[in-house]
Amino acid sequence: MMNTFPKDFLWGSATAAAQIEGAAHLDGKEDSIWDVFSRVPGAVQHGDTPEVAVDHYHRMPQDVALMRELGLGSYRFSTSWARVRPGDRFTNAKGLDFYSRLVDELLEAGILPWLTLYHWDLPQALQERGGWTNRDTAHRFVDYASAVYDALGDRVTHWTTFNEPLCSSLISYVGGEHAPGLMDPGAGLAALHHQHLAHGLAVQHLRERGGDDLQLGITLNLTNAIPEDPGDPADVDAARRIDGLWNRMFLEPLLLGAYPSDVLEDVAEYDFEQWVHDGDLETIAQPLDFLGVNHYHDDNVSAHPLPEGHPESARPTKRPGRSFFVGSEFVTSPTRGLPRTAMDWEVNPDGLRTLLLRLTATYPTLPPLYITENGAAYDDELVDGRVEDHERWAYIAAHIDAVAAAMEQGADVRGYFVWSLLDNFEWAWGYDKRFGIVYVDRDTQQRIPKLSARNFAGLIGENRRRA
Ligand code: GBH
């Protein structure tokens, strides 16, 4: 790799609690919405659940040792609300103790802990009170953030409130694809606003407690929404609507303190503004120290039904709720002939460069950026104890090149986290889809660094020497 990144550029890898920990009902942890959703027949492929996952809860010290071997500068993980405050009734010392030990192991290994408070695993007890459709959940989130800060605030400096609120609001409450699996646009829009509110309240709270010693931010999944046929006004408008609902409904309240007016018009029938109380937007638009960007692929958007034989039609987890997003059918996986991953996602590193430059050009208040997730699923094969995942490494390397190009062209990017450290529970896709740079044998839980892990370690080392 020929790029030179600044010396303090942060190289890391990311995971999420429900995807790796297991121990779903151990040491006081109670059901999260993903435990419950995964037990609904047909919700997750093969009926897979997060119950055991990749047993990180028990293998944490070895997993941190592996991170150290790879030379990671940072590890992005999430804490589980249902472990820290089971049923949201009380703070569970045993649950917090796990994260405290994790943080100690990381610091001991010279790895910066990068903590995410919400990566989709709401306590089921709160779902029973309406989940994110209930404004009170935003206040319960602050209680939870406060409990985590009590335990870790002396050692953790980097705090992310939410991971991909698009997924935990619209995709979960409208698309039906993620827990709690609803298909109700009004509920999804309420969830979206209440998650923004929870973010703002938590940033305020953490800032009051930790001041400028803390780095506070949020991670969004952002996409370039490209009309399938730029000459077709219906496709162009569908792309505008996807850009509005998926990108701008998040970027604009957070960075500009207002919701995009075209989207408010699109969703007028749901009376979205009933959820937005006086003062909420000021709370939501707290100054941020960083914005995390997750990017895997762009989206080609069409207002027309899928063509015969399009890979999206074969999607096992497809839900009719998705039709809300553009009113009828739409295509997200592009048909423009690029190579595809095992998720059927296109490989288009230039989309990442374009996205970073667009953010830089559009938002004067944009804080420094971190790529908090980027990576790919491929059908790995374990042969003679090795996984030679050349395609995954090519994907990662090309995206790192795209980040370098964006930086040269003016984007302020400070770090890159590969998704994911370990093969894990890929939500509605269960354990079928492997995103890890480290292979996990599902029977023995053995960890085997893939070629991509070895090459990523090499790149990090090389960069450290040259920077
Ligand atoms: C991320 O989300 C997650 O943060 C991570 O936990 C996950 O493992 C990783 O990526 C890999 O999937 O079906 O057309 O309604 C994934 C990004 C964006 C994928 C929205 C699903 C649904 C769009 N997600 N997309 S649609």
Side-chain angles (χ1 to χ4, degrees):
M1 182 105 1
M2 296 314 293
N3 304 302
T4 307
F5 287 85
K7 203 172 187 56
D8 55 357
F9 193 85
L10 205 54
W11 296 101
S13 185
T15 63
Q19 295 183 271
I20 62 164
E21 286 177 359
H25 298 95
L26 201 69
D27 292 344
K29 179 175 173 300
E30 293 180 14
D31 271 345
S32 82
I33 55 175
W34 269 96
D35 294 307
V36 172
F37 185 63
S38 69
R39 298 196 292 259
V40 174
V44 175
Q45 271 209 109
H46 311 308
D48 289 345
T49 76
E51 188 70 36
V52 176
V54 294
D55 197 32
H56 172 71
Y57 192 76
H58 295 111
R59 288 160 201 268
M60 179 272 286
Q62 297 94 298
D63 287 341
V64 175
L66 193 53
M67 296 176 212
R68 176 188 238 160
E69 273 169 46
L70 297 177
L72 298 188
S74 182
Y75 172 54
R76 175 175 179 259
F77 64 98
S78 76
T79 49
S80 159
W81 190 341
R83 193 180 296 290
V84 172
R85 290 183 54 78
D88 199 54
R89 294 188 309 278
F90 57 88
T91 298
N92 176 26
K94 274 191 175 168
L96 278 172
D97 181 60
F98 169 72
Y99 298 112
S100 185
R101 285 184 287 117
L102 167 62
V103 166
D104 283 344
E105 292 278 349
L106 291 169
L107 293 174
E108 173 70 30
I111 299 169
L112 177 77
W114 187 290
L115 187 152
T116 300
L117 286 164
Y118 192 76
H119 201 126
W120 309 353
D121 44 356
L122 188 76
Q124 174 64 17
L126 285 178
Q127 193 60 47
E128 279 154 22
R129 286 187 254 152
W132 289 106
T133 66
N134 183 347
R135 186 177 172 95
D136 184 57
T137 300
H139 296 283
R140 303 288 68 79
F141 181 72
V142 180
D143 293 346
Y144 157 59
S146 181
V148 179
Y149 188 85
D150 286 340
L152 308 179
D154 58 336
R155 286 158 291 156
V156 173
T157 51
H158 290 64
W159 297 75
T160 301
T161 53
F162 282 77
N163 174 72
E164 301 191 352
L166 163 65
C167 289
S168 49
S169 59
L170 300 183
I171 304 290
S172 302
Y173 285 76
V174 188
E177 171 170 351
H178 286 178
L182 304 186
M183 289 182 244
D184 177 346
L189 291 162
L192 180 155
H193 181 69
H194 294 147
Q195 290 181 16
H196 283 326
L197 181 64
H199 157 84
L201 292 168
V203 168
Q204 270 176 346
H205 178 87
L206 293 171
R207 191 73 78 198
E208 270 162 30
R209 297 192 63 183
D212 293 337
D213 293 344
L214 299 185
Q215 290 281 305
L216 303 176
I218 187 168
T219 278
L220 302 179
N221 55 310
L222 300 170
T223 188
N224 298 302
I226 296 161
E228 179 86 14
D229 175 359
D232 175 348
D235 282 6
V236 171
D237 195 58
R240 174 202 59 79
R241 180 161 162 139
I242 288 291
D243 178 54
L245 282 166
W246 290 15
N247 298 321
R248 290 182 288 113
M249 279 296 268
F250 298 86
L251 289 164
E252 296 190 13
L254 292 164
L255 299 176
L256 308 175
Y259 284 108
S261 51
D262 60 320
V263 180
L264 293 185
E265 268 174 49
D266 289 343
V267 302
E269 66 189 281
Y270 303 106
D271 192 16
F272 174 65
E273 276 144 297
Q274 70 181 292
W275 310 111
V276 185
H277 297 191
D278 283 349
D280 281 3
L281 283 158
E282 289 71 32
T283 304
I284 291 167
Q286 295 301 306
L288 298 177
D289 300 305
F290 64 86
L291 175 66
V293 175
N294 292 357
H295 184 77
Y296 292 86
H297 59 87
D298 286 348
D299 290 289
N300 267 39
V301 185
S302 167
H304 305 290
L306 298 171
E308 192 85 19
H310 188 285
E312 278 282 299
S313 328
R315 202 183 155 91
T317 62
K318 193 177 162 191
R319 300 279 177 145
R322 291 164 85 242
S323 65
F324 159 75
F325 294 109
V326 288
S328 62
E329 272 285 16
F330 73 106
V331 182
T332 55
S333 279
T335 50
R336 55 191 160 199
L338 292 162
R340 289 165 181 274
T341 71
M343 300 294 282
D344 252 325
W345 296 349
E346 65 166 7
V347 180
N348 177 18
D350 200 52
L352 178 55
R353 183 189 65 87
T354 312
L355 175 69
L356 295 169
L357 291 175
R358 181 157 65 91
L359 292 172
T360 305
T362 309
Y363 300 104
T365 56
L366 190 71
L369 303 173
Y370 288 84
I371 309 305
T372 39
E373 285 181 30
N374 172 248
Y378 286 103
D379 297 325
D380 294 318
E381 274 177 66
L382 182 63
V383 180
D384 298 334
R386 294 169 74 89
V387 179
E388 304 291 306
D389 57 336
H390 293 279
E391 288 176 295
R392 181 177 292 100
W393 175 246
Y395 177 102
I396 294 169
H399 283 78
I400 291 172
D401 282 344
V403 172
M407 289 167 71
E408 253 164 55
Q409 291 162 33
D412 183 6
V413 186
R414 308 279 178 94
Y416 173 94
F417 293 79
V418 67
W419 183 271
S420 179
L421 179 71
L422 304 165
D423 291 337
N424 61 46
F425 176 70
E426 177 51 29
W427 308 114
W429 296 88
Y431 294 97
D432 254 17
K433 303 294 181 195
R434 294 179 177 272
F435 273 91
I437 56 173
V438 174
Y439 185 88
V440 178
D441 182 313
R442 289 286 306 144
D443 298 322
T444 64
Q445 298 285 7
Q446 196 196 345
R447 274 74 165 138
I448 302 166
K450 304 175 191 176
L451 170 135
S452 57
R454 304 195 295 273
N455 287 358
F456 190 52
L459 181 150
I460 296 171
E462 175 95 342
N463 200 74
R464 231 170 243 146
R465 280 189 296 280
R466 287 198 301 144

